[in-house]
Amino acid sequence: MHPLAIRAIGTLTVEQITPLIIASETEGHNFVRRLWDEYASGENRFDSEGSVLFGVFDGEELVAIGGLQRDPYVDIA
């Protein structure tokens, strides 16, 4: 096992995320599939201001994923 590293993901590939989709769906969850579907369609690429997509990597293997979005209902002056 390599040291785990958290990195921003610029481009997410289906090869990277497929093992996470399978694992999450095996446990009865669909949130990773939904993240991928929205990313692949362009609906949400986590590329707008205040957004970022992070991955946890074991070497080059993606082992966890999560994104942050700026709240569209909060007016930041």
Side-chain angles (χ1 to χ4, degrees):
M1 180 171 176
H2 303 91
L4 298 178
I6 300 171
R7 300 192 305 252
I9 297 174
T11 303
L12 181 63
T13 67
V14 70
E15 292 81 16
Q16 288 175 305
I17 199 165
T18 295
L20 296 179
I21 292 171
I22 292 168
S24 67
E25 288 180 344
T26 298
E27 295 178 4
H29 307 289
N30 70 347
F31 55 88
V32 179
R33 165 77 64 188
R34 186 172 59 243
L35 184 147
W36 171 249
D37 289 346
E38 290 178 3
Y39 184 90
S41 74
E43 180 180 343
N44 186 2
R45 290 276 171 100
F46 296 91
D47 57 1
S48 61
E49 183 179 347
S51 300
V52 65
L53 182 62
F54 286 110
V56 178
F57 292 85
D58 181 3
E60 292 303 311
E61 180 185 3
L62 181 64
V63 296
I65 194 165
L68 297 172
Q69 299 275 10
R70 190 172 121 198
D71 187 337
Y73 300 104
V74 174
D75 184 21
I76 300 175

